[in-house]
Each structure stands twice: as C-alpha cells, then as structure tokens.
C-alpha cells in the first residue's frame, strides 16, 4: 500500500515541468536494478552469495563493428570477488558477466514478475546493459520490486486507495483487490536482503 508519494518538487512550477509525476515516469534506474539480476540468479541457483565472480577485463562482440567492454565506476578491476561483495559494492563487470550467464530475457522475466511491469517478457528485447540500468522503468515499479524482495519474494500489486464511497455512502471499488503471488524463492529474497544490509561487504567501495 502506498503511504506517500512525492512525484514533483512543485506541481505548479511549469519551469520544472511540475505537472509531471516523476514517480510514475519512465527513467533509467542505474545500478539500483542490479538487485533484480542477483535475485533472479539466486532464485535459479546460478550462484550463491559465496560464489566467486571474476572482476577482470572482458569484451563482448555486439556486432561486426562494435565491441562492448564493460568497466567499473572506479575504473579498476578487483579480481575474484564473491557475489556478496560484487552486489554490495555495485561492481559493473561481475554484473555483466552474471547477466550473460542468467540471460537478459530471464532477468526481464523475473523483474516483470517482481513488479517492473514496463520490462517486456518478449525474447530478445534486451542486451547485457539491462543490469546497469540502460532500460527505463518507473520509480513506483522499482519500489514495488524492492518490496517483493522485502516481502520474502512475494509480489503484491500496489494500492493507492483502499476504500471510497459515493455521495450516498455506498462503497465504490476503485482498484482491483490486492493479490499476492510468490515470484521468487524466499531464500533468494533473503540473500539479496542480507547482502544489501551488510555494511562490511559494502566497505571496499563505500566505506562503513
């Protein structure tokens, strides 16, 4: 249930397009979407938090003329790192290698089920940069997906209005009843939650 939503700094300010609700507008989510990839990988038993991912240089042949070479935000490579460390420190190269194993289609499918409704489940729609936030989603949907992680892998559709009545006091159903569906395993959700809650794991990149 939505307790509060601030979608604009000033609704009446045309200079900042104040009438646009940024919380339901499509935006690139950046690295915040990496958690969805790791949730999918844990759910499908591709890795565990202690699995080693190799943060070393790699190239992908996109087409005849283009080579994709992912880099980390600190322009460094960190060698063998655990999945826990890779996610906690938001390393790009391990995430790219992981989505190459999981598959962009599978990440999109799991993300859609977790609440990222703007991610297509049609095959072949996305490439490896999906896990770096290259494709747009809404903040509300991303929040819903993170709620799915918090909710032990069970997705619930968002509700902004719980009940309403008409002028005669009769109840009016404004939204579909809330439905909860288990979309990733509780273990997968726990692993992501554990990693994101681990200050020691984040220390190399972000400090304590």
């Amino acid at each position: 249930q939505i307790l509060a939503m601030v979608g604009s700094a000033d609704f009446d300010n045309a200079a900042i397009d104040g009438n646009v609700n940024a919380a339901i507008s499509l935006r690139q989510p950046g690295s915040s979407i990496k958690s969805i990839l790791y949730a999918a990988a844990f759910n499908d038993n591709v890795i565990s938090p202690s699995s080693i991912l190799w943060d070393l240089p790699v190239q992908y042949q996109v087409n005849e003329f283009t080579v994709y070479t992912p880099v980390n935000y600190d322009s460094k490579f960190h060698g063998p790192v655990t999945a826990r460390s890779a996610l906690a420190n938001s390393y790009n190269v391990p995430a790219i290698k992981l989505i190459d194993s999981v598959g962009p289609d599978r990440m999109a499918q799991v993300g859609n089920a977790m609440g990222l409704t703007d991610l297509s489940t049609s095959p072949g729609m996305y490439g490896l940069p999906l896990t770096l936030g290259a494709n747009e989603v809404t903040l509300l949907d991303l929040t819903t997906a993170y709620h799915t992680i918090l909710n032990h892998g069970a997705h619930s559709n968002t509700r902004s209005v719980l009940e309403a009545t008409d002028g005669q006091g009769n109840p009016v159903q404004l939204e579909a009843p809330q439905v909860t569906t288990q979309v990733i395993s509780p273990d997968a959700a726990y692993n992501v939650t554990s990693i994101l809650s681990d200050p020691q794991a984040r220390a190399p990149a972000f400090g304590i």
Side-chain angles (χ1 to χ4, degrees), residues 29-35 87 90 92 131-133 146:
S31 289
S32 63
I33 204 170
K34 285 176 183 168
S35 298
L87 175 56
S90 192
N92 292 339
T131 191
L132 303 185
Y146 268 85

Side-chain angles (χ1 to χ4, degrees), residues 11-158:
F11 183 86
D12 296 318
N13 188 346
I16 61 167
D17 292 326
N19 290 178
V20 176
N21 185 347
I24 56 174
S25 300
L26 289 170
R27 303 290 174 88
Q28 290 183 327
S31 289
S32 63
I33 204 170
K34 285 176 183 168
S35 298
I36 309 304
L37 169 66
Y38 282 83
F42 291 139
N43 181 77
D44 294 353
N45 294 316
V46 175
I47 56 169
S48 73
S50 60
S51 295
I52 296 299
L53 303 176
W54 293 91
D55 188 4
L56 296 172
V58 65
Q59 292 184 333
Y60 296 93
Q61 193 73 41
V62 178
N63 55 43
E64 183 180 355
F65 307 102
T66 306
V67 174
Y68 174 47
T69 305
V71 295
N72 293 312
Y73 57 86
D74 60 2
S75 300
K76 299 177 181 178
F77 296 97
H78 307 91
V81 294
T82 63
R84 175 177 292 273
S85 179
L87 175 56
N89 293 286
S90 192
Y91 294 145
N92 292 339
V93 176
I96 289 291
K97 292 183 177 181
L98 182 57
I99 193 175
D100 190 37
S101 297
V102 172
D105 290 346
R106 178 58 179 159
M107 177 184 169
Q109 179 187 41
V110 173
N112 183 283
M114 292 175 67
L116 297 174
T117 58
D118 286 296
L119 289 185
S120 172
T121 56
S122 300
M125 291 292 293
Y126 304 108
L128 302 180
L130 172 63
T131 191
L132 303 185
N135 300 93
E136 296 178 329
V137 298
T138 69
L139 176 59
L140 180 58
D141 277 1
L142 188 62
T143 304
T144 302
Y146 268 85
H147 176 265
T148 300
I149 296 171
L150 177 69
N151 202 34
H152 312 291
H155 169 264
S156 297
N157 57 300
T158 56

Side-chain angles (χ1 to χ4, degrees), residues 136-193:
E136 296 178 329
V137 298
T138 69
L139 176 59
L140 180 58
D141 277 1
L142 188 62
T143 304
T144 302
Y146 268 85
H147 176 265
T148 300
I149 296 171
L150 177 69
N151 202 34
H152 312 291
H155 169 264
S156 297
N157 57 300
T158 56
R159 299 192 72 191
S160 55
V161 179
L162 299 185
E163 60 182 34
T165 57
D166 62 19
Q168 285 72 47
N170 301 310
V172 176
Q173 184 172 316
L174 299 179
E175 300 184 37
Q178 196 156 36
V179 177
T180 300
T181 307
Q182 193 76 35
V183 295
I184 60 172
S185 70
D187 287 349
Y190 172 82
N191 285 336
V192 175
T193 301

